[in-house]
C-alpha cells in the first residue's frame, strides 16, 4: 500500500500555514525553475531574432552539436520566429557561445559534474561547463530566460553560477499497471530535462504486466504483457534519447513480490505451482518468487545478464517492496528451507534472496537499488535505499551507513498540491538530525507516478507541472522556499512544457470534451475547476478498479490541484480587501453548478457528478450569504450558521471520487460571518 499521507484538507492547511505563502516579495525577473544557486542581474538585454545562431567552443561531441541545434529549434518554437539551427563556426558571430571543457562519463553516473555558468550581455550569451551534461542544464536555463517585452523577445543580461544540491533527482514511471508507450516516455524525458531532473526510474514489471522484450526468456513479454511491451530497440532508443538530455535510465524489475506477470510464462520460478495469469486486480498480491530454488538464481542470472546489456546504468533497481509471506508460508519446501537455515521470518528469507541477487548484480558490474524494505544488515553499504514509507526510514538508512533517496512525499498519485511536495525535503524530518557525514549519504529523491489511476492519456496531467516543484526542491539551494514564487513560476514552466510536447493542459480539455459529448464543455470546466481527485489509495477503496478499467470519468479528467480553489483561498485570506472579487467568483460558481446540471444528466459518464454540481452551487450560495452578513458588519444568526455548517460538512464529503476544493475557504467566510467580522 502507498503511505497514507495527510488528507487533502490537511494538505491545504499546510499550504496556508507555510511560511512565506502570503505576501512574499518575489525576486526581480526570475522565471527560472528550478532556481539556480546564484543569479546576479545586470543591465541590458540580448535580443532574440531570426539571426540567432549557436557556436561551440572547446570540447565537442555529437551530443553537444545536437544540443546546440535543439536549442535553436526550441527557441524558434517558443518565439515562432523562423531560425537556422545550423551551428555557427565563428563564435564572434554567434548569439550564444557554448564552451564545454571535457567529455563526461561514457555512461552518465551519479557523480557527473552538472555545474555550469551562464553569462548574458546585450552582445552575446556564454554558456560554460566542465561536461556536456552541465551544458544541457545551462541550456534549459537559457531557454527559460527568454521573455517577451515591449521591444520583442529577449534574454535579460545576467550572470548565473549553478549546480545541483542533490546528485540524484529522479522521476519514477510505473508502466506495468497501465501501459505507457515509448513516445509518452520520451516527452516526459523532455519535461524532466527542462527542470533538470537526471534519472528516469522505469518501473518495468509488476503483477499487471511485464514490459520489456526478453530474447532469453521470451515468454516474459509474450505472455506477461497483453502485447504491450517495449522492444529492445525501443529501449535502446529511449536510453539514447535520455542520454542526449543528460538523464540516466535506471530499470526496475520488482522482485521477489509484485512479480505475477513473470510467472504466467515461467511458473517454475514462483513459490507455488500456479498456473498464473496476468493479474489485473490492484493492490498487493500474494505470488512471490521462490528464494529457495537454485533454478531461480540461474534464471535471474541469465535474465539480469541480458538486461544489463540493454541498460548501461551502474544501478539496477530490484524493487523488493511489499513482499507477502503467504505463498512462502504455504510451501512446505520453503518452510523446511527456512528451518534448515535458521531463518525466523519472511524478512530473513527476503534478505537471503537479496544477497543472492546482489552477487548476480555484482557479477554484471551493477549496484543495487531497492525500496526501503530491502534494508538489512547483511547488505553492503554501496546499495541505495529508496524510502517510500516515511522520512524516518531514509534517516535510519543513512545512520546505518547506507545511501538513500527519498520518495515519501513525492508520490504524485496521492494527488497532493504542489506546495505539499515542495515542502518535503530529503534532508528534512528525521534526516535533519543526522551528522554531516550521514547527510552526505542522502543522494536526493524521486517523484513517483504509480499508474493504477493514470493512463497514457492523463499521465502528463498527473505529473506536470507538479514534478517541476519537486525538481526545484532537489536542485535548488535549501533556502529556496517561497511557495508563492513557486506557484507563479510553475505556471510559466507549465506553458513551456507544452511547447515541448507535453499534454498536461490540453489533455484534460480533450477529456472534458469527450465527457460533454455534443454539449459545450466550457460549463463543465467551470464546475471541474473547483474539484480535485481523491488520492489513488482511497479511490481504490470506494470504487472497484482493475488495470483495464476505462479512465474516462470526470475524476480522471481532473488535475491533481485546483488552481482556482487555491487562488480563491488567497482572496478569502484577505476577504476585507477582496469582497468584490470573492462575490464575483462565488456567483460564477453558483451559476455553473446550476447550468451544468442538464449536461451532466445527458451524459452516462457524468450523471454520478450531479451531487457535486448541486453542492458547488449550494456552497457558493452559502459563501455569498456569509458575504452579505460581513458587508453589513452583522453577526450571522446561530440557526443560519448551524444550517450552513451542516451543508459544508456534507459538501466536504467526496462524491464520485472528487473533492470540492472551495469548501475550506467558504468555511472561513462562514466563521468570519459568525463573528460578524
Ligand atoms: C511502493 O510504493 N510499494 C514502493
Amino acid at each position: 500500500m502507498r503511505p497514507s499521507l495527510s488528507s487533502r484538507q490537511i494538505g491545504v492547511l499546510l499550504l496556508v500555514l507555510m511560511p512565506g505563502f502570503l505576501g512574499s516579495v518575489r525576486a526581480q525577473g526570475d522565471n527560472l525553475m528550478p532556481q539556480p544557486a546564484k543569479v546576479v542581474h545586470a543591465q541590458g538585454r540580448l535580443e532574440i531574432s531570426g539571426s540567432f545562431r549557436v557556436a561551440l567552443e572547446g570540447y565537442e561531441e555529437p551530443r553537444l552539436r545536437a544540443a546546440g541545434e535543439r536549442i535553436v529549434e526550441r527557441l524558434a518554437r517558443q518565439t515562432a520566429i523562423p531560425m537556422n539551427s545550423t551551428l555557427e563556426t565563428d563564435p564572434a558571430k554567434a548569439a550564444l557561445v557554448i564552451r564545454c571543457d571535457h567529455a563526461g562519463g561514457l555512461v552518465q553516473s551519479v557523480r557527473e559534474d552538472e555545474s555550469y555558468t551562464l553569462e548574458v550581455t546585450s552582445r552575446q550569451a556564454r554558456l560554460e561547463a566542465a561536461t556536456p551534461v552541465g551544458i544541457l542544464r545551462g541550456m534549459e536555463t537559457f531557454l527559460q530566460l527568454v521573455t517577451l517585452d515591449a521591444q520583442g523577445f529577449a534574454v535579460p543580461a545576467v550572470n548565473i553560477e549553478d549546480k545541483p544540491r542533490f546528485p540524484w533527482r529522479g522521476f519514477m514511471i510505473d508502466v506495468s499497471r497501465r501501459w505507457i508507450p515509448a513516445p509518452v516516455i520520451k516527452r516526459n524525458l523532455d519535461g524532466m530535462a527542462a527542470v533538470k531532473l537526471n534519472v528516469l526510474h522505469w518501473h518495468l514489471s509488476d503483477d499487471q504486466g511485464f514490459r520489456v522484450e526478453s530474447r532469453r526468456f521470451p515468454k516474459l513479454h509474450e505472455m506477461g504483457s497483453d502485447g504491450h511491451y517495449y522492444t529492445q530497440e525501443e529501449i535502446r532508443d529511449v536510453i539514447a534519447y535520455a542520454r542526449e538530455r543528460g538523464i540516466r535510465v535506471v530499470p526496475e524489475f520488482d522482485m521477489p513480490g509484485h512479480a505475477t506477470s513473470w510467472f504466467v510464462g515461467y511458473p517454475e520460478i514462483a513459490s507455488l505451482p500456479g498456473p498464473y495469469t496476468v493479474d489485473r486486480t490492484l493492490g498487493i498480491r500474494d505470488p512471490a518468487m521462490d528464494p529457495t530454488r537454485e533454478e531461480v538464481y540461474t534464471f535471474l542470472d541469465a535474465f539480469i545478464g541480458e538486461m544489463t546489456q540493454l541498460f548501461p546504468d551502474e544501478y539496477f533497481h530490484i524493487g523488493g517492496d511489499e513482499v507477502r509471506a503467504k505463498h512462502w508460508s504455504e510451501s512446505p519446501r520453503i518452510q523446511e528451507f527456512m528451518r534448515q537455515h535458521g531463518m525466523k521470518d519472511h524478512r530473513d528469507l527476503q534478505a537471503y534472496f537479496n544477497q543472492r541477487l546482489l552477487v548476480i548484480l555484482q557479477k554484471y558490474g551493477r549496484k543495487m537499488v531497492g525500496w526501503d524494505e530491502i534494508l538489512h544488515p547483511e547488505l553492503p553499504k554501496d546499495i541505495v535505499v529508496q524510502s517510500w514509507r516515511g522520512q524516518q526510514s531514509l534517516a535510519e538508512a543513512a545512520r546505518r551507513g547506507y545511501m538513500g533517496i527519498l520518495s515519501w512525499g513525492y508520490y504524485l498519485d496521492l494527488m497532493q498540491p504542489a506546495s505539499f511536495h515542495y515542502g518535503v525535503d530529503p534532508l528534512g524530518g528525521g534526516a535533519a538530525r543526522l551528522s554531516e557525514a550521514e547527510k552526505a549519504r542522502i543522494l536526493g529523491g524521486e517523484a513517483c507516478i504509480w499508474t493504477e489511476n493514470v493512463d497514457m492519456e492523463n499521465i502528463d496531467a498527473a505529473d506536470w507541472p507538479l514534478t517541476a516543484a519537486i525538481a526545484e526542491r532537489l536542485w535548488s539551494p535549501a533556502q529556496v522556499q517561497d511557495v508563492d514564487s513557486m506557484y507563479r513560476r510553475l505556471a510559466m514552466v507549465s506553458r513551456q512544457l507544452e511547447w515541448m510536447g507535453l499534454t498536461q493542459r490540453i489533455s484534460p480539455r480533450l477529456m472534458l470534451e469527450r465527457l460533454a459529448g455534443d454539449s459545450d464543455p466550457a460549463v463543465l470546466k467551470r464546475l471541474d475547476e473547483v474539484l480535485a481527485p481523491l488520492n489513488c489509495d482511497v479511490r481504490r477503496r470506494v470504487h472497484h478498479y482493475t488495470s483495464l478499467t476505462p479512465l474516462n470519468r470526470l475524476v480522471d479528467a481532473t488535475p491533481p490541484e485546483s488552481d482556482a480553489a487555491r487562488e480563491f483561498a488567497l482572496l478569502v485570506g484577505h476577504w476585507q480587501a477582496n469582497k468584490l472579487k470573492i462575490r464575483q467568483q462565488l456567483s460564477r460558481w453558483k451559476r455553473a453548478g446550476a447550468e451544468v446540471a442538464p449536461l451532466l444528466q445527458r451524459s452516462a459518464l457524468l450523471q454520478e457528478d450531479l451531487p457535486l454540481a448541486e453542492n458547488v452551487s449550494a456552497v457558493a450560495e452559502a459563501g455569498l450569504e456569509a458575504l452579505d452578513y460581513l458587508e453589513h458588519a452583522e453577526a450571522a444568526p446561530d440557526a443560519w450558521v448551524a444550517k450552513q455548517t451542516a451543508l459544508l460538512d456534507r459538501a466536504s464529503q467526496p462524491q464520485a471520487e472528487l473533492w470540492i476544493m472551495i469548501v475550506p475557504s467558504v468555511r472561513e467566510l462562514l466563521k468570519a460571518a459568525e463573528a460578524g467580522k
Side-chain angles (χ1 to χ4, degrees):
M1 295 303 289
R2 314 278 171 250
S4 299
L5 292 186
S6 43
S7 75
R8 176 165 288 283
Q9 271 86 357
I10 292 172
V12 170
L13 190 69
L14 278 176
L15 170 151
V16 173
L17 296 176
M18 198 125 344
F21 182 59
L22 295 173
S24 57
V25 180
R26 72 176 193 216
Q28 292 295 306
D30 72 274
N31 292 328
L32 300 175
M33 190 158 210
Q35 287 209 340
K38 188 170 171 210
V39 182
V40 179
H41 292 280
Q43 285 299 316
R45 60 196 277 289
L46 176 70
E47 188 190 338
I48 305 292
S49 71
S51 62
F52 185 96
R53 299 283 287 272
V54 173
L56 300 184
E57 281 184 2
Y59 169 75
E60 279 192 33
E61 64 175 32
R63 179 162 60 154
L64 280 169
R65 284 190 286 278
E69 289 167 8
R70 203 162 63 241
I71 194 171
V72 180
E73 279 152 20
R74 283 178 51 197
L75 258 182
R77 179 86 210 271
Q78 255 173 266
T79 59
I81 300 172
M83 293 179 190
N84 179 352
S85 62
T86 317
L87 295 176
E88 169 62 60
T89 49
D90 179 0
K93 291 194 192 139
L96 171 63
V97 177
I98 290 175
R99 184 184 178 84
C100 182
D101 195 50
H102 55 77
L106 206 54
V107 175
Q108 188 177 321
S109 83
V110 70
R111 298 165 297 281
E112 192 93 2
D113 184 347
E114 298 179 273
S115 65
Y116 68 93
T117 62
L118 176 64
E119 182 189 16
V120 182
T121 68
S122 50
R123 210 188 57 74
Q124 197 173 55
R126 274 190 83 78
L127 170 58
E128 299 193 359
T131 68
V133 174
I135 296 294
L136 292 165
R137 304 291 175 253
M139 179 175 133
E140 299 297 338
T141 304
F142 182 84
L143 287 166
Q144 286 186 353
L145 283 167
V146 177
T147 44
L148 177 65
D149 64 20
Q151 282 90 49
F153 288 100
V155 173
V158 72
N159 276 298
I160 292 176
E161 284 173 37
D162 200 10
K163 63 177 188 337
R165 180 171 168 224
F166 293 105
W168 190 308
R169 305 178 309 281
F171 182 30
M172 188 220 75
I173 305 181
D174 168 12
V175 298
S176 175
R177 302 301 175 356
R178 298 272 173 169
W179 169 236
I180 308 291
V184 181
I185 299 293
K186 282 185 168 180
R187 70 182 190 231
N188 274 276
L189 283 165
D190 281 321
M192 289 173 66
V195 295
K196 301 182 170 58
L197 290 173
N198 67 359
V199 182
L200 169 67
H201 166 177
W202 213 350
H203 184 85
L204 288 162
S205 70
D206 214 301
D207 298 307
Q208 295 79 2
F210 189 98
R211 303 298 182 198
V212 182
E213 175 192 15
S214 168
R215 297 194 180 147
R216 189 72 186 65
F217 299 105
K219 286 188 283 182
L220 285 173
H221 66 275
E222 284 169 2
M223 298 177 71
S225 75
D226 293 323
H228 291 144
Y229 62 89
Y230 309 105
T231 64
Q232 296 207 351
E233 199 180 330
E234 278 179 301
I235 296 273
R236 288 204 173 85
D237 181 51
V238 168
I239 291 170
Y241 193 88
R243 179 173 166 79
E244 290 271 300
R245 284 150 186 80
I247 297 172
R248 299 164 44 211
V249 177
V250 174
E252 178 186 351
F253 294 96
D254 208 343
M255 297 178 260
H258 282 288
T260 310
S261 62
W262 305 54
F263 307 151
V264 186
Y266 300 94
E268 61 271 25
I269 63 171
S271 299
L272 296 180
Y276 293 88
T277 53
V278 172
D279 195 338
R280 305 181 206 298
T281 60
L282 303 170
I284 312 171
R285 318 313 304 162
D286 293 327
M289 291 178 186
D290 183 347
T292 68
R293 233 182 256 276
E294 280 312 305
E295 302 89 290
V296 171
Y297 301 106
T298 312
F299 182 102
L300 290 176
D301 186 321
F303 174 73
I304 290 171
E306 181 184 18
M307 290 302 126
T308 49
Q309 290 286 309
L310 201 51
F311 294 95
D313 198 83
E314 69 176 318
Y315 285 93
F316 195 95
H317 203 305
I318 57 122
D321 57 321
E322 300 179 315
V323 183
R324 281 267 171 95
K326 186 161 182 286
H327 284 200
W328 291 349
S329 308
E330 287 172 10
S331 158
R333 123 191 201 111
I334 294 176
Q335 288 304 304
E336 178 55 26
F337 182 94
M338 288 174 70
R339 255 190 308 278
Q340 276 172 10
H341 288 77
M343 295 174 180
K344 61 181 181 316
D345 59 23
H346 80 284
R347 279 182 207 86
D348 285 350
L349 185 58
Q350 190 181 352
Y352 168 80
F353 176 77
N354 287 342
Q355 282 168 40
R356 298 290 307 265
L357 263 188
L358 185 74
V359 173
I360 297 170
L361 290 181
Q362 284 169 339
K363 171 175 163 189
Y364 295 108
R366 294 300 189 271
K367 292 179 180 157
M368 180 184 282
V369 197
W371 298 104
D372 53 34
E373 287 95 328
I374 71 163
L375 198 60
H376 194 278
E378 303 284 334
L379 288 174
K381 300 294 192 260
D382 64 351
I383 66 164
V384 170
V385 175
Q386 181 162 16
S387 281
W388 69 279
R389 293 180 300 178
Q391 275 181 296
Q392 197 50 43
S393 63
L394 182 66
E396 187 51 34
R399 199 170 289 118
R400 286 158 64 176
Y402 292 95
M403 291 180 290
I405 51 180
L406 182 67
S407 280
W408 175 89
Y410 300 144
Y411 269 32
L412 301 173
D413 49 314
L414 293 181
M415 303 285 144
Q416 296 284 328
S419 56
F420 172 80
H421 300 298
Y422 196 61
V424 175
D425 192 309
L427 294 182
R433 290 183 292 280
L434 295 175
S435 70
E436 287 310 309
E438 289 163 346
K439 281 182 182 166
R441 296 189 191 119
I442 294 179
L443 300 177
E446 285 187 358
C448 294
I449 187 74
W450 298 99
T451 50
E452 283 95 344
N453 291 99
V454 172
D455 63 9
M456 64 176 99
E457 184 176 44
N458 66 4
I459 188 168
D460 292 3
D463 299 346
W464 301 101
L466 269 185
T467 302
I470 299 171
E472 174 154 292
R473 180 56 52 240
L474 298 174
W475 175 281
S476 302
Q479 63 270 25
V480 174
Q481 292 282 355
D482 183 337
V483 173
D484 234 2
S485 159
M486 178 274 285
Y487 273 113
R488 186 180 57 76
R489 290 175 293 115
L490 206 58
M492 306 222 17
V493 166
S494 195
R495 201 169 63 201
Q496 288 162 349
L497 290 172
E498 284 217 333
W499 278 325
M500 304 181 69
L502 282 155
T503 63
Q504 78 280 359
R505 299 194 311 170
I506 185 82
S507 80
R509 209 187 85 202
L510 298 178
M511 293 173 83
L512 289 188
E513 285 181 3
R514 174 196 293 139
L515 283 162
D518 290 340
S519 309
D520 177 7
V523 58
L524 184 56
K525 170 79 191 145
R526 282 201 294 283
L527 171 71
D528 189 55
E529 72 183 23
V530 300
L531 306 177
L534 265 61
N535 88 41
C536 94
D537 288 340
V538 183
R539 286 184 64 181
R540 283 214 306 280
R541 273 182 247 137
V542 299
H543 189 96
H544 177 68
Y545 282 101
T546 72
S547 60
L548 298 177
T549 306
L551 299 180
N552 58 4
R553 293 156 63 217
L554 188 60
V555 61
D556 303 305
T558 306
E561 184 166 7
S562 161
D563 289 332
R566 180 169 42 78
E567 283 154 18
F568 185 67
L570 289 175
L571 291 178
V572 169
H574 296 276
W575 61 264
Q576 292 91 339
N578 295 313
K579 280 186 238 163
L580 184 62
K581 280 192 192 150
I582 292 171
R583 186 171 287 283
Q584 283 168 344
Q585 263 305 17
L586 289 172
S587 306
R588 189 168 159 271
W589 287 326
K590 183 182 156 191
R591 272 200 314 278
E595 282 169 16
V596 76
L599 186 159
L600 302 183
Q601 258 146 1
R602 279 198 298 275
S603 163
L605 292 171
L606 289 171
Q607 280 156 5
E608 62 174 347
D609 303 304
L610 272 161
L612 286 161
E614 276 166 36
N615 282 343
V616 166
S617 266
V619 167
E621 171 68 31
L624 287 167
E625 288 177 20
L627 219 49
D628 289 340
Y629 286 114
L630 288 168
E631 281 183 350
H632 295 110
E634 194 185 315
D638 290 348
W640 179 87
V641 172
K643 182 168 162 245
Q644 303 306 333
T645 302
L647 161 75
L648 293 184
D649 290 347
R650 264 199 318 280
S652 63
Q653 296 304 310
Q655 290 282 345
E657 296 160 62
L658 286 158
W659 301 105
I660 298 174
M661 298 304 290
I662 54 171
V663 172
S665 297
V666 171
R667 216 184 274 280
E668 268 190 61
L669 287 177
L670 214 70
K671 289 216 179 85
E674 187 179 6
K677 56 184 179 338

